[in-house]
Amino acid sequence: MRDNANYEGFNPGDNIVKWFWEILESFSKEEVGHFLFFLTGSSRVPYGGFADDKSISLERNYDDYDDMLPIAHTCSYALEIPEYSSKKKMREKIV
């Protein structure tokens, strides 16, 4: 998933992006299924994986509020993420 991710408003080296992948890697199999369902509408990885036209996109939500939740666009596998103040706060909102 990470290898084929696109970023809009973020760079791969930004803390928000690093935190996102660290949080996702710490998820149990069940949590990954819940996250995939939120992002794609299915609890399974799409047929053929996340590649080419099925890559996920992490997009910056410019409303930078710690109380905001991420917004998923299931048709395009896009996730809008505010720039949270900490990894802990981000995990609270993603889980």
Side-chain angles (χ1 to χ4, degrees):
M1 207 175 349
R2 176 188 275 193
D3 293 339
N4 295 313
N6 298 310
Y7 305 98
E8 292 184 29
F10 292 119
N11 292 309
D14 291 346
N15 279 337
I16 293 294
V17 174
K18 290 178 189 177
W19 295 341
F20 173 78
W21 292 114
E22 289 169 8
I23 291 166
L24 217 58
E25 289 169 359
S26 74
F27 278 1
S28 67
K29 194 172 189 174
E30 182 180 5
E31 288 172 318
V32 169
H34 290 298
F35 174 77
L36 285 173
F37 188 79
F38 174 68
L39 179 63
T40 68
S42 173
S43 60
R44 297 178 181 205
V45 173
Y47 180 76
F50 286 104
D52 302 326
D53 63 332
K54 295 183 182 173
S55 62
I56 69 166
S57 178
L58 298 179
E59 300 173 359
R60 183 164 186 241
N61 182 326
Y62 287 93
D63 295 328
D64 292 335
Y65 302 108
D66 271 348
D67 58 341
M68 290 188 67
L69 295 169
I71 300 169
H73 300 278
T74 57
C75 292
S76 59
Y77 301 156
L79 184 68
E80 288 184 40
I81 305 174
E83 192 154 347
Y84 294 112
S85 62
S86 69
K87 182 178 170 181
K88 180 181 177 187
K89 181 60 76 173
M90 182 184 221
R91 183 174 177 83
E92 290 171 7
K93 299 302 179 180
I94 290 178
V95 177

